[in-house]
Amino acid sequence: LPKFEKGMEELRELSGKPDLNLDSAKQLQWVLFDPMGPCKLICPSRTKDGAPSTSKDTLAKLGHDPIVQAILRTRKVRDVLRKYVYGKGLIIREDGRIHPYWNTTGTVTQRWSSAPNMQNWPDYLRSVVEAPDGWVIVGADQAQLEMRIMACIAGAKDLIERLERADEN
């Protein structure tokens, strides 16, 4: 959240627009492309209606401009916050910790899934996750889990050895 707030603060300062709304295409069009706006950039693409585009692809072409860079960074952080901090399906407990909703049944593959998919967290977001006192966070890979269980139940020593060697690589 502080990274997002800092990004928005930087963006408002750079644009000279203290009430800048990233969801307003008209405001972004003025900031980026209007001859009276702060950037005065030439728009490389337009919408179907002929208006200057403010899409991610369009902005990527204009990445040299500091305001465009700030818009892209802020959008990225905002999207991560929307999905993984304020996202649909998240459970926020009394202690303020965020937990995903785990689905252990009903998937086509019969594997666990979570909403949102916590495996897709960006690294910088993972770095802020802390376990409560007395607890630890454990990461585990389900790769070939069913095969590993069957090999152990069947006592298939060759297969168990191969799976153990695969883990070493």
Side-chain angles (χ1 to χ4, degrees), residues 13-83:
E13 186 179 313
L14 284 169
S15 70
K17 195 159 180 56
D19 59 343
L20 181 64
N21 177 358
L22 283 181
D23 293 323
S24 170
K26 291 211 180 285
Q27 285 187 24
L28 288 179
Q29 288 165 355
W30 178 83
V31 167
L32 298 171
F33 308 118
D34 193 285
M36 302 302 287
C39 291
K40 300 171 184 64
L41 298 172
I42 296 172
C43 183
S45 60
R46 298 195 169 266
T47 65
K48 292 176 186 174
D49 300 335
S53 174
T54 58
S55 71
K56 181 180 177 180
D57 293 337
T58 299
L59 296 184
K61 295 174 186 174
L62 303 168
H64 62 279
D65 186 87
I67 293 178
V68 172
Q69 291 172 5
I71 290 169
L72 291 172
R73 278 194 310 273
T74 305
R75 279 183 175 177
K76 184 176 178 181
V77 172
R78 184 181 63 172
D79 290 346
V80 168
L81 288 173
R82 282 182 181 164
K83 188 171 187 176

Side-chain angles (χ1 to χ4, degrees), residues 7-159:
M8 280 305 298
E9 191 177 305
E10 173 191 16
L11 192 49
R12 288 178 176 128
E13 186 179 313
L14 284 169
S15 70
K17 195 159 180 56
D19 59 343
L20 181 64
N21 177 358
L22 283 181
D23 293 323
S24 170
K26 291 211 180 285
Q27 285 187 24
L28 288 179
Q29 288 165 355
W30 178 83
V31 167
L32 298 171
F33 308 118
D34 193 285
M36 302 302 287
C39 291
K40 300 171 184 64
L41 298 172
I42 296 172
C43 183
S45 60
R46 298 195 169 266
T47 65
K48 292 176 186 174
D49 300 335
S53 174
T54 58
S55 71
K56 181 180 177 180
D57 293 337
T58 299
L59 296 184
K61 295 174 186 174
L62 303 168
H64 62 279
D65 186 87
I67 293 178
V68 172
Q69 291 172 5
I71 290 169
L72 291 172
R73 278 194 310 273
T74 305
R75 279 183 175 177
K76 184 176 178 181
V77 172
R78 184 181 63 172
D79 290 346
V80 168
L81 288 173
R82 282 182 181 164
K83 188 171 187 176
Y84 297 113
V85 177
Y86 305 115
K88 183 179 178 182
L90 286 172
I91 302 163
I92 302 175
R93 300 250 164 89
E94 295 158 5
D95 62 2
R97 293 184 180 276
I98 299 170
H99 301 267
Y101 169 77
W102 287 99
N103 181 15
T104 57
T105 61
T107 62
V108 174
T109 61
Q110 298 302 309
R111 293 185 175 178
W112 286 25
S113 65
S114 66
N117 185 345
M118 305 309 263
Q119 293 176 353
N120 293 338
W121 272 35
D123 288 339
Y124 65 87
L125 191 57
R126 289 175 193 234
S127 68
V128 300
V129 176
E130 293 179 355
D133 289 339
W135 291 67
V136 294
I137 296 175
V138 176
D141 187 355
Q142 300 185 91
Q144 305 162 346
L145 183 61
E146 294 89 355
M147 186 185 319
R148 293 167 186 269
I149 292 170
M150 290 172 51
C152 290
I153 291 172
K157 291 180 183 177
D158 285 347
L159 184 54

